[in-house]
Amino acid sequence: MSTVNIIKNIHTLRVLVLHPRDKNAEVLLQQVTRIGCRAEALWPLPSELPEGADLVFVDITDTRSKHLEKLFGIGIKTRPTLIGIAGYESPSILQKLLDLHVDAVVTKPLQASGVLSSIVMARQIWKEFRRFERMVGKLKVKVENSQKIGQAKFILMRLHQISEEKAYEAIRSQAMSKRTTTVAIARAIINADGILETTSKKDENDEPAMRQFSPLSVR
């Protein structure tokens, strides 16, 4: 999503403010409401985030580290855009901001100016990070699938003394005839080979059966 769309859609955001109800929290809530966002304040920190929060402002102190990590850990799939509120810039606070992978930072005393720009920048960074996550996920799946097909080709080459090209053609032909993917056929071949190897270790007489293994028998 472009920056223009982020700015245009800001008023649709549900913003959560996790901060003691003091002057800083009031200033922040008022400005977020003026921007047009739906704002909600919670304190003390909840045991879990309310559903539907798009962006969260959270007070960062030298305490509550484990609680914040539980709420905003980098591995959480539903992690919202996160803006840290820092009272001072000590090494420990900066480290906590880094550990939480916040998308932006605002400092106390909070002022109306700067809130909008922080939200825009944080949303842009958050969306870019999610885009990179999806790209990495797709690449990971692609590599894993390629490894499975390679392993299956090696099994067929070993059992039938055929070339890599013919092994892949056998896999592809099976995938087409069974109306499935080459990866599914590769997994079936790997599983079948594993079963045959396990059986052969129990009974040496099973070696001929392994030699007769064919991709055509894969179900």
Side-chain angles (χ1 to χ4, degrees):
M1 181 180 289
S2 68
T3 305
V4 173
N5 288 333
I6 289 175
I7 296 173
K8 182 179 179 181
N9 295 326
I10 275 185
H11 69 280
T12 66
L13 297 179
R14 181 185 175 190
V15 177
L16 187 62
V17 176
L18 301 180
H19 191 285
R21 293 304 295 267
D22 57 13
K23 184 177 180 179
N24 286 301
E26 293 304 321
V27 169
L28 182 55
L29 284 168
Q30 289 174 10
Q31 182 59 15
V32 168
T33 302
R34 288 193 191 102
I35 291 170
C37 303
R38 293 170 293 166
E40 179 183 359
L42 284 179
W43 196 259
L45 290 173
S47 58
E48 58 184 28
L49 289 178
E51 292 185 6
D54 300 305
L55 184 146
V56 178
F57 285 90
V58 61
D59 187 38
I60 306 296
T61 67
D62 287 322
T63 59
R64 313 188 205 97
S65 295
K66 291 183 179 180
H67 197 157
L68 291 176
E69 183 63 29
K70 179 182 178 182
L71 289 174
F72 305 108
I74 195 66
I76 298 176
K77 294 182 179 180
T78 57
R79 184 178 186 270
T81 304
L82 185 61
I83 299 180
I85 303 173
Y88 47 93
E89 296 177 333
S90 69
S92 61
I93 293 296
L94 293 175
Q95 186 59 55
K96 286 179 174 57
L97 291 167
L98 291 173
D99 291 343
L100 287 174
H101 299 270
V102 298
D103 303 298
V105 179
V106 292
T107 56
K108 300 178 185 179
L110 292 174
Q111 300 179 0
S113 61
V115 173
L116 176 58
S117 58
S118 296
I119 291 175
V120 172
M121 294 303 298
R123 289 296 286 178
Q124 177 70 10
I125 292 170
W126 180 85
K127 288 182 179 295
E128 284 295 308
F129 187 78
R130 290 299 165 296
R131 185 173 68 86
F132 287 133
E133 275 190 328
R134 290 192 294 270
M135 288 176 58
V136 170
K138 289 179 181 179
L139 288 173
K140 183 179 179 180
V141 170
K142 187 175 182 180
V143 169
E144 290 175 349
N145 289 344
S146 180
Q147 290 174 339
K148 291 293 183 185
I149 293 174
Q151 187 178 351
K153 287 192 296 184
F154 175 77
I155 291 170
L156 297 183
M157 291 166 65
R158 171 170 55 85
L159 294 179
H160 299 288
Q161 299 300 309
I162 58 177
S163 67
E164 180 179 359
E165 182 179 354
K166 288 185 177 180
Y168 179 73
E169 181 59 33
I171 294 172
R172 193 171 72 90
S173 176
Q174 280 291 290
M176 293 177 63
S177 66
K178 297 181 182 299
R179 296 184 179 181
T180 186
T181 65
T182 54
V183 175
I185 296 298
R187 289 198 182 102
I189 292 172
I190 294 168
N191 291 338
D193 185 62
I195 293 172
L196 290 174
E197 283 192 10
T198 301
T199 304
S200 67
K201 289 179 182 179
K202 294 180 180 179
D203 186 351
E204 292 297 329
N205 293 329
D206 286 343
E207 181 64 23
M210 292 182 66
R211 293 296 180 184
Q212 294 174 4
F213 177 79
S214 169
L216 296 178
S217 64
V218 175
R219 294 290 184 267

